[in-house]
Amino acid sequence: MASINLGVVWYKRDLRVFDHAPLVEAAKHRQVLPLYIYEAALIRAPDCAAQHVHFINECLSELDQALSARGSPLLAQYGEATAVFQRVLDTFGPFTLYSYEETGNALSYERDKRVAEWCRAHGIVWKEFPANGVVRRLGSRDEWSDIWMQRMKPAPLPAPDFLGKPEGTLSPQGLMQPSWMGMQDADKPLRQKGGRKQAVQLLKNFLTQSLPQYRFGMSSPLSAADVCSRLSPHIAYGTLSIREIVHKLIKTRAELNAMPAHVRPKGALEGLKSFESRLHWRCHFVQKLESEPDIEIRNMHRGFDGLREPHFNQEYFDRWRKAETGFPLIDACMRMLAETGWVNFRMRALLVSFSSYQLWNHWREPALHLAREFLDYEPGIHYSQIQMQSGVTGINTLRIYNPVKQAQDQDPDGSFVRRWLPALQTVPQEFIFEPWTMPLSLQQSVGVIIGTDYPPPVVDHLATASFARETLWAMRRRSEVRDEARRVFDKHGSRNPAREGRARKSPKPSAESTGETPQLSLGLE
């Protein structure tokens, strides 16, 4: 059988040339075609927004420069994936297809199945490579942590020095703008910019400047934007690999340990450890979607089916997404999201908790809204964490946040609230987190009339939280719910790394003890 001269590298969520196994393998062919496909079905899906496409385009622009410098520029095409591959086949003849495995939404999963079928029908070999620490066809969750460690140990792969350019011409369609593909929403004015150069600089700044403050500054919206790594969108779209970051952390730890104790920045090692654990946990959550794709649309614990679905309140949802709940910290976070595409993990958890418990709305529609709002949207993390925060996994402690107390704890002087809610600028400090409690005469004197200049609270947050707590704990005590929780833990629960790989019985989930970890980020911070 004649060897295939052309290797096609299908770029999806891996927009880089360094530590890129498919590109390295494809480079062994005489000709290499790097390919990115703008897929109409994915772009017009309810979890995609214009900001995502703009960020991707910035990444693709840099990727094209890196590939062109090595001999074979990026080819961008628009259309359904199998139709694009048919164009490639008709233009260049037989090829071998290379890509990373993708743990995406249901549409990408179905797309991959169509591509696999097309490849079989046309005699195309498709070689997929594991992505980061996510394991396809994982036999047992007990094996996962060891596999993750094994994948992180080898040094990151260097970029190929040269890529042979294909013989033949397929008209390049260039970078596609969202409006050309029917997207009507606008880009976010203050979002992060894409591209590997941005990612490399962010990682450098984090490791040299922010580590000492990271552990204790990540929770407050006042400090999180400055002390967090802000790498999450770059990891989501693969301008950096997890393995590259892990090796940078190893090097940084060695440098810190080599310093005399009195010179070493206080808290740097602790911050490094905390950040490293989040790299591990990031893959842990993506693994849940890989192992059970249905959690994008169904409760992880099926015993909670029907709990909130029949009671969805559209008015509550609209006020939540429009930042009109009347709870200043909730609304300030939603305003920040609308402008920047980012808030820190504690505030994300607060937003989901408020929607799920105080508003008692099912998680699916809020999850789609936040997917569009989060620049760093990663389906595996997103749906796993949304379900965790809304209390339908059965294996996580319920975390019902008080939006007033959280504001007092995380924004004590109200500066974050005043920044994002200018209407409350003149509200006195003692009323800034509960402006509805201001006497009417004071409202008039400061020029903030509740119901006119700022909305009244959408619900009695204490009463609704109490209802949610009692309802959910009563359900979790039922024997059938506990039995289903055991199944969920066996499939998705975290394992103690020290005991990883050993055969053991899963713990018995209960109201007091769960198999999962405490509150974690909805994205890598």
Side-chain angles (χ1 to χ4, degrees), residues 221-240:
L222 294 170
S223 55
D226 295 322
V227 306
C228 289
S229 76
R230 304 302 301 274
L231 285 169
S232 53
H234 293 281
I235 297 175
Y237 292 102
T239 61
L240 284 173

Side-chain angles (χ1 to χ4, degrees), residues 20 23 48 55 114 175 293 327 337 395 398-399 441 456 462 468:
H20 199 289
L23 183 63
C48 187
F55 185 90
R114 291 194 301 274
L175 302 183
F327 291 92
L337 262 182
I395 62 173
L398 299 180
R399 296 186 179 276
S441 58
L462 294 175

